[in-house]
Amino acid sequence: MTAHADVIDLAQRLIRRPSRAGIDDYRPVLGVLEDWVARRGLPYRRLHGDRGATVGLLIEVAGGRPGPWWALDACVDTAPYGDEAAWSFPPDCGDVVDGWLRGRGAADSKLAAALFCAIAAELHGRAPDLHGGLAVLLDVDEHTGGFGGARAYLADPAAVRPSGVMIGYPGLDEVVVGGRGLWRATIAVHAASGHSGSRRTTPGAVSRAARLVRLLEEAELPGAEGEFPLPPKLTVTSCHGGQGFSVVPDLCELGVDIRTTPGFDARAAERLVREAVGELDAEVPPPRPTSINAVASWPPYRLTEGQQPAAALLDAAVREGLTVRPRTAGPSNIGNLLAGEGIPATAGFGVRYAGLHGVDERACLEDLPAVHAAYRRALLALLGPS
């Protein structure tokens, strides 16, 4: 079996083991990976989260000479299927039709996981000549948003901290070198409860929450500044409150997601929300002050084109005949988590794709040889003499 046929075969078997985040048992998909790496003599171990659950698989290839370690990362849990009746093929079919690998996870990111396993096997065979080492993280807690595999890897005292990470999200024409950060919070809006038929006209919690939504969405945000190409963005993502028709609700909870930039960071995001809340409570003082509970905060990040591992991957892609550009992504990604730990990361370079997180997900296998060669070339440059 050729190297690329071996990668495709492994990816097909991974797709045929459903691993939807929060839905499926991850043991079958992990078993496929463990069988594959064990048969090739690769050193690996499971990673466990705070509650003892398996959150990832870590392959470690130690070089024979001193130097920094680098990591490849791909998730093997997936988004849910959504409306299966809308698919034109079974979401777990894992077949190849007209050069496209089909099924949930084909694009994000089981093909990348299979490719990274193959690269680890290649480099394991030449480990004595390598400087530093290579870690391959296969995360099964990524689509939950928890990134448990990455967190466990970074917290593991037995693992060498990587100098940089390349994340195997798909997309052939760009290397993602940055992303907006985020600040997320839930907001509890209070009011006096009562009967909806009462003569009293004091607004309920839902009405007060609606006013807060307007204040937030009308708040002025700065534009893009300096070398960071994207502006901040505020979105009210959830609203829960009230029950039935006859009761004036005394509580309504909002979810707020603010995408941050170097010029508008988490502190600025929190300050904006607190100012809007203060204005709301001053208009009609509630029985209890509106409360803000920050639930997540990641910094924005952006690598320069000369910063590793971006420089090595961009150069390798060009040398393999690909036209690529560095890009800063609007959505946050695991690179933000790594940036918070001081670890530079690229988050996206792979094959072309369609239907990611949607209907009829598939990945273009025509691109696999060039992508494979680019990652291998980049890693050999990083694992060579300084």
Side-chain angles (χ1 to χ4, degrees):
M1 183 179 291
T2 66
H4 295 140
D6 198 20
V7 170
I8 295 167
D9 176 73
L10 175 57
Q12 288 179 292
R13 288 190 284 128
L14 294 175
I15 293 168
R16 290 166 183 160
R17 272 67 172 187
S19 52
R20 294 164 292 177
I23 298 174
D24 296 312
D25 183 351
Y26 299 137
R27 285 177 294 183
V29 75
L30 286 169
V32 170
L33 289 167
E34 289 179 316
D35 178 68
W36 195 96
V37 299
R39 285 191 285 112
R40 287 156 180 80
L42 291 172
Y44 75 94
R45 53 198 167 89
R46 290 192 175 195
L47 297 173
H48 299 92
D50 295 337
R51 298 181 180 181
T54 300
V55 291
L57 199 70
L58 183 66
I59 303 169
E60 294 172 304
V61 178
R65 303 179 183 185
W69 278 62
W70 304 90
L72 299 172
D73 172 43
C75 61
V76 289
D77 66 333
T78 73
Y81 295 154
D83 181 6
E84 295 186 45
W87 288 63
S88 64
F89 49 82
D92 61 352
C93 64
D95 60 7
V96 176
V97 175
D98 296 330
W100 290 78
L101 175 64
R102 308 193 307 175
R104 178 61 84 225
D108 185 14
S109 294
K110 291 182 175 181
L111 181 60
L115 173 59
F116 290 170
C117 286
I119 290 173
E122 292 177 48
L123 296 184
H124 186 247
R126 54 197 303 177
D129 298 325
L130 302 180
H131 294 251
L134 170 68
V136 176
L137 172 64
L138 304 169
D139 197 333
V140 293
D141 189 35
E142 197 262 14
H143 281 86
T144 62
F147 299 122
R151 295 181 189 277
Y153 170 41
L154 297 177
D156 189 340
V160 179
R161 194 172 184 85
S163 294
V165 179
M166 291 179 280
I167 305 163
Y169 296 142
L172 190 64
D173 59 352
E174 57 192 24
V175 173
V176 176
V177 298
R180 286 187 292 204
L182 61 81
W183 183 83
R184 290 173 176 164
T186 58
I187 304 174
V189 180
H190 301 279
S193 62
H195 196 289
S196 60
S198 170
R199 294 181 179 181
R200 189 175 60 180
T201 58
T202 303
V206 171
S207 297
R208 298 190 73 247
R211 172 59 179 155
L212 180 57
V213 170
R214 288 194 296 273
L215 290 171
L216 291 170
E217 293 184 341
E218 292 170 359
E220 185 174 349
L221 296 173
E225 297 178 0
E227 297 182 354
F228 199 86
L230 298 173
K233 181 182 180 183
L234 183 151
T235 306
V236 177
T237 56
S238 65
C239 180
H240 304 286
Q243 186 175 12
F245 291 97
S246 62
V247 178
V248 176
D250 59 1
L251 174 64
C252 185
E253 293 186 323
L254 300 177
V256 178
D257 177 287
I258 301 180
R259 299 303 165 120
T260 60
T261 66
F264 188 84
D265 60 11
R267 287 181 296 179
E270 183 174 357
R271 183 167 58 250
L272 180 150
V273 171
R274 291 197 179 280
E275 288 174 353
V277 164
E279 183 175 347
L280 173 73
D281 285 358
E283 287 180 356
V284 180
R288 293 174 57 191
T290 301
S291 60
I292 302 167
N293 178 34
V295 295
S297 179
W298 289 352
Y301 78 102
R302 188 172 187 268
L303 309 187
T304 65
E305 292 184 36
Q307 189 174 356
Q308 300 293 14
L313 187 54
L314 285 163
D315 178 71
V318 170
R319 289 178 181 273
E320 293 302 327
L322 299 172
T323 302
V324 295
R325 62 183 178 90
R327 183 173 79 89
T328 300
S332 303
N333 55 63
I334 197 171
N336 297 89
L337 170 67
L338 295 166
E341 296 285 338
I343 299 172
T346 59
F349 170 68
V351 303
R352 287 171 290 171
Y353 64 94
L356 187 147
H357 288 195
V359 172
D360 288 354
E361 182 176 344
R362 53 204 185 277
C364 180
L365 296 177
E366 178 185 356
D367 303 333
L368 181 60
V371 171
H372 187 166
Y375 272 108
R376 179 174 54 223
R377 182 186 289 271
L379 284 165
L380 289 175
L382 293 168
L383 295 168
S386 300

